[in-house]
CSV table of all heavy atoms in Angstrom, one decimal:
chain,number,residue,atom,x,y,z
Z,454,ASN,N,-6.8,-1.3,-24.2
Z,454,ASN,CA,-7.3,-2.0,-25.3
Z,454,ASN,C,-6.3,-2.2,-26.4
Z,454,ASN,O,-5.2,-1.8,-26.3
Z,454,ASN,CB,-8.6,-1.2,-25.8
Z,454,ASN,CG,-8.2,0.1,-26.5
Z,454,ASN,OD1,-7.1,0.3,-27.2
Z,454,ASN,ND2,-9.0,1.1,-26.3
Z,456,VAL,N,-6.9,-1.4,-29.7
Z,456,VAL,CA,-7.1,-0.7,-31.0
Z,456,VAL,C,-5.8,-0.2,-31.6
Z,456,VAL,O,-5.0,0.4,-30.9
Z,456,VAL,CB,-8.1,0.4,-30.7
Z,456,VAL,CG1,-8.4,1.3,-31.8
Z,456,VAL,CG2,-9.4,-0.1,-30.1
Z,457,GLU,N,-5.7,-0.4,-33.0
Z,457,GLU,CA,-4.5,0.1,-33.7
Z,457,GLU,C,-4.7,1.4,-34.5
Z,457,GLU,O,-3.8,2.1,-34.8
Z,457,GLU,CB,-4.2,-1.1,-34.6
Z,457,GLU,CG,-3.9,-2.4,-34.0
Z,457,GLU,CD,-4.0,-3.5,-35.1
Z,457,GLU,OE1,-4.8,-3.6,-35.9
Z,457,GLU,OE2,-3.1,-4.4,-34.8
Z,458,ILE,N,-6.0,1.5,-34.9
Z,458,ILE,CA,-6.3,2.7,-35.7
Z,458,ILE,C,-7.6,3.4,-35.3
Z,458,ILE,O,-8.6,2.6,-35.0
Z,458,ILE,CB,-6.5,2.2,-37.2
Z,458,ILE,CG1,-5.3,1.4,-37.7
Z,458,ILE,CG2,-6.8,3.3,-38.1
Z,458,ILE,CD1,-5.5,0.4,-38.8
Z,459,TYR,N,-7.6,4.7,-35.4
Z,459,TYR,CA,-8.8,5.5,-35.1
Z,459,TYR,C,-9.2,6.3,-36.3
Z,459,TYR,O,-8.3,7.0,-36.9
Z,459,TYR,CB,-8.5,6.5,-33.9
Z,459,TYR,CG,-9.7,7.0,-33.3
Z,459,TYR,CD1,-10.4,6.4,-32.3
Z,459,TYR,CD2,-10.4,8.1,-33.8
Z,459,TYR,CE1,-11.6,6.8,-31.6
Z,459,TYR,CE2,-11.5,8.6,-33.2
Z,459,TYR,CZ,-12.1,7.9,-32.1
Z,459,TYR,OH,-13.2,8.4,-31.6
Z,460,VAL,N,-10.3,6.2,-36.7
Z,460,VAL,CA,-10.8,6.9,-38.0
Z,460,VAL,C,-11.4,8.3,-37.5
Z,460,VAL,O,-12.2,8.4,-36.7
Z,460,VAL,CB,-11.9,6.1,-38.7
Z,460,VAL,CG1,-12.4,6.9,-39.9
Z,460,VAL,CG2,-11.4,4.8,-39.1
Z,461,VAL,N,-10.6,9.3,-37.9
Z,461,VAL,CA,-10.9,10.6,-37.5
Z,461,VAL,C,-11.6,11.4,-38.7
Z,461,VAL,O,-11.1,11.5,-39.8
Z,461,VAL,CB,-9.7,11.4,-37.2
Z,461,VAL,CG1,-9.9,13.0,-36.8
Z,461,VAL,CG2,-8.8,10.8,-35.9
Z,471,ARG,N,-17.3,7.5,-42.2
Z,471,ARG,CA,-16.3,6.9,-41.2
Z,471,ARG,C,-16.5,5.5,-41.0
Z,471,ARG,O,-15.7,4.6,-40.8
Z,471,ARG,CB,-16.3,7.7,-39.9
Z,471,ARG,CG,-15.8,9.1,-40.0
Z,471,ARG,CD,-15.8,9.9,-38.7
Z,471,ARG,NE,-17.1,10.5,-38.4
Z,471,ARG,CZ,-17.9,10.3,-37.4
Z,471,ARG,NH1,-17.4,9.5,-36.3
Z,471,ARG,NH2,-19.0,10.7,-37.1
Z,475,CYS,N,-14.0,2.2,-41.5
Z,475,CYS,CA,-13.9,1.3,-40.4
Z,475,CYS,C,-14.1,-0.1,-40.7
Z,475,CYS,O,-13.5,-1.1,-40.5
Z,475,CYS,CB,-14.8,1.7,-39.3
Z,475,CYS,SG,-13.8,2.3,-37.7
Z,478,LEU,N,-11.4,-1.5,-42.9
Z,478,LEU,CA,-10.3,-1.9,-41.8
Z,478,LEU,C,-10.6,-3.1,-41.1
Z,478,LEU,O,-9.8,-4.0,-40.9
Z,478,LEU,CB,-10.0,-0.7,-40.8
Z,478,LEU,CG,-9.6,0.6,-41.4
Z,478,LEU,CD1,-9.4,1.7,-40.5
Z,478,LEU,CD2,-8.2,0.4,-42.0
Z,479,TRP,N,-11.9,-3.3,-40.7
Z,479,TRP,CA,-12.2,-4.5,-39.9
Z,479,TRP,C,-12.2,-5.7,-40.8
Z,479,TRP,O,-11.7,-6.8,-40.5
Z,479,TRP,CB,-13.7,-4.3,-39.3
Z,479,TRP,CG,-13.8,-3.4,-38.3
Z,479,TRP,CD1,-12.9,-3.1,-37.4
Z,479,TRP,CD2,-14.9,-2.6,-37.8
Z,479,TRP,NE1,-13.3,-2.0,-36.4
Z,479,TRP,CE2,-14.5,-1.8,-36.8
Z,479,TRP,CE3,-16.3,-2.5,-38.4
Z,479,TRP,CZ2,-15.5,-1.0,-36.1
Z,479,TRP,CZ3,-17.2,-1.6,-37.8
Z,479,TRP,CH2,-16.7,-0.8,-36.6
Z,483,PHE,N,-7.9,-5.5,-39.2
Z,483,PHE,CA,-7.3,-4.4,-38.2
Z,483,PHE,C,-8.3,-4.2,-37.0
Z,483,PHE,O,-9.6,-4.4,-37.2
Z,483,PHE,CB,-7.1,-3.1,-38.9
Z,483,PHE,CG,-6.0,-3.1,-40.1
Z,483,PHE,CD1,-6.4,-2.9,-41.4
Z,483,PHE,CD2,-4.7,-3.4,-39.7
Z,483,PHE,CE1,-5.4,-3.1,-42.3
Z,483,PHE,CE2,-3.8,-3.3,-40.7
Z,483,PHE,CZ,-4.1,-3.1,-42.0
Z,484,LYS,N,-7.7,-3.8,-36.0
Z,484,LYS,CA,-8.5,-3.3,-34.9
Z,484,LYS,C,-8.7,-1.8,-34.8
Z,484,LYS,O,-7.7,-1.1,-34.8
Z,484,LYS,CB,-7.8,-3.8,-33.5
Z,484,LYS,CG,-7.6,-5.3,-33.5
Z,484,LYS,CD,-6.5,-5.6,-32.4
Z,484,LYS,CE,-6.2,-7.1,-32.4
Z,484,LYS,NZ,-5.1,-7.5,-31.6
Z,485,ALA,N,-10.0,-1.5,-35.1
Z,485,ALA,CA,-10.2,0.0,-35.4
Z,485,ALA,C,-11.4,0.5,-34.6
Z,485,ALA,O,-12.3,-0.2,-34.2
Z,485,ALA,CB,-10.3,0.3,-36.9
Z,486,GLU,N,-11.5,1.8,-34.5
Z,486,GLU,CA,-12.6,2.5,-33.9
Z,486,GLU,C,-12.9,3.8,-34.6
Z,486,GLU,O,-12.1,4.5,-35.3
Z,486,GLU,CB,-12.2,2.8,-32.3
Z,486,GLU,CG,-12.5,1.7,-31.6
Z,486,GLU,CD,-12.4,2.1,-29.9
Z,486,GLU,OE1,-11.8,3.1,-29.7
Z,486,GLU,OE2,-12.9,1.3,-29.1
Z,487,PHE,N,-14.1,4.4,-34.3
Z,487,PHE,CA,-14.4,5.8,-34.6
Z,487,PHE,C,-15.3,6.3,-33.6
Z,487,PHE,O,-15.9,5.6,-32.7
Z,487,PHE,CB,-15.1,5.7,-36.1
Z,487,PHE,CG,-16.5,5.0,-36.1
Z,487,PHE,CD1,-17.7,5.7,-36.0
Z,487,PHE,CD2,-16.5,3.6,-36.2
Z,487,PHE,CE1,-18.9,4.9,-35.9
Z,487,PHE,CE2,-17.8,2.9,-36.2
Z,487,PHE,CZ,-18.9,3.7,-36.1
Z,488,ALA,N,-15.6,7.6,-33.8
Z,488,ALA,CA,-16.4,8.3,-32.7
Z,488,ALA,C,-17.8,8.0,-32.9
Z,488,ALA,O,-18.5,8.0,-34.0
Z,488,ALA,CB,-16.2,9.7,-32.7
Z,489,TYR,N,-18.6,7.7,-31.8
Z,489,TYR,CA,-20.1,7.4,-31.8
Z,489,TYR,C,-20.9,8.7,-31.7
Z,489,TYR,O,-21.8,9.0,-31.1
Z,489,TYR,CB,-20.5,6.5,-30.7
Z,489,TYR,CG,-20.1,5.1,-30.9
Z,489,TYR,CD1,-20.4,4.2,-29.8
Z,489,TYR,CD2,-19.4,4.6,-32.0
Z,489,TYR,CE1,-20.0,2.8,-29.9
Z,489,TYR,CE2,-19.0,3.3,-32.0
Z,489,TYR,CZ,-19.4,2.4,-31.0
Z,489,TYR,OH,-19.0,1.1,-31.1
Z,498,GLN,N,-11.7,13.7,-30.8
Z,498,GLN,CA,-11.0,12.5,-31.6
Z,498,GLN,C,-9.6,12.4,-31.3
Z,498,GLN,O,-9.1,11.2,-31.2
Z,498,GLN,CB,-11.3,12.6,-33.1
Z,498,GLN,CG,-13.0,12.6,-33.3
Z,498,GLN,CD,-13.2,12.9,-34.7
Z,498,GLN,OE1,-13.2,11.9,-35.6
Z,498,GLN,NE2,-13.5,14.1,-35.2
Z,501,ALA,N,-9.1,11.0,-27.9
Z,501,ALA,CA,-9.3,9.5,-27.8
Z,501,ALA,C,-8.1,8.7,-28.3
Z,501,ALA,O,-7.7,7.8,-27.6
Z,501,ALA,CB,-10.5,9.2,-28.6
Z,502,CYS,N,-7.5,9.3,-29.3
Z,502,CYS,CA,-6.2,8.5,-29.7
Z,502,CYS,C,-5.2,8.6,-28.6
Z,502,CYS,O,-4.3,7.5,-28.3
Z,502,CYS,CB,-5.6,9.2,-30.9
Z,502,CYS,SG,-6.7,9.0,-32.4
Z,504,ARG,N,-5.6,9.2,-25.3
Z,504,ARG,CA,-6.0,8.5,-24.1
Z,504,ARG,C,-5.9,6.9,-24.2
Z,504,ARG,O,-5.5,6.3,-23.3
Z,504,ARG,CB,-7.5,8.8,-23.8
Z,504,ARG,CG,-8.0,8.2,-22.7
Z,504,ARG,CD,-9.6,8.4,-22.4
Z,504,ARG,NE,-10.3,7.7,-23.5
Z,504,ARG,CZ,-11.1,8.2,-24.4
Z,504,ARG,NH1,-11.2,9.6,-24.5
Z,504,ARG,NH2,-11.7,7.6,-25.3
Z,505,ASP,N,-6.2,6.4,-25.4
Z,505,ASP,CA,-6.2,4.9,-25.4
Z,505,ASP,C,-4.9,4.5,-26.2
Z,505,ASP,O,-4.8,3.3,-26.6
Z,505,ASP,CB,-7.4,4.5,-26.3
Z,505,ASP,CG,-8.7,4.6,-25.5
Z,505,ASP,OD1,-8.7,4.7,-24.3
Z,505,ASP,OD2,-9.8,4.8,-26.2
Z,507,ILE,N,-3.5,4.9,-29.1
Z,507,ILE,CA,-3.8,4.3,-30.4
Z,507,ILE,C,-2.7,4.8,-31.4
Z,507,ILE,O,-2.5,6.0,-31.5
Z,507,ILE,CB,-5.3,4.6,-31.1
Z,507,ILE,CG1,-6.3,4.2,-30.0
Z,507,ILE,CG2,-5.4,4.1,-32.3
Z,507,ILE,CD1,-7.7,4.6,-30.3
Z,509,PHE,N,-2.2,4.8,-34.7
Z,509,PHE,CA,-2.4,5.4,-36.0
Z,509,PHE,C,-3.8,5.9,-36.1
Z,509,PHE,O,-4.7,5.5,-35.6
Z,509,PHE,CB,-2.1,4.5,-37.2
Z,509,PHE,CG,-0.7,4.1,-37.3
Z,509,PHE,CD1,-0.2,2.8,-36.9
Z,509,PHE,CD2,0.3,4.8,-37.7
Z,509,PHE,CE1,1.0,2.3,-36.9
Z,509,PHE,CE2,1.7,4.5,-37.7
Z,509,PHE,CZ,2.0,3.2,-37.4
Z,511,VAL,N,-6.5,7.4,-39.1
Z,511,VAL,CA,-6.9,7.5,-40.6
Z,511,VAL,C,-7.8,8.8,-40.5
Z,511,VAL,O,-8.8,8.8,-40.0
Z,511,VAL,CB,-7.6,6.3,-41.1
Z,511,VAL,CG1,-8.2,6.7,-42.6
Z,511,VAL,CG2,-6.5,5.2,-41.2
Side-chain angles (χ1 to χ4, degrees):
N454 64 36
V456 174
E457 303 162 320
I458 303 159
Y459 197 92
V460 178
V461 176
R471 288 181 283 126
C475 244
L478 296 172
W479 292 331
F483 295 113
K484 299 163 185 172
E486 279 189 337
F487 65 98
Y489 286 178
Q498 296 175 85
C502 292
R504 181 188 66 241
D505 294 335
I507 299 172
F509 295 105
V511 170

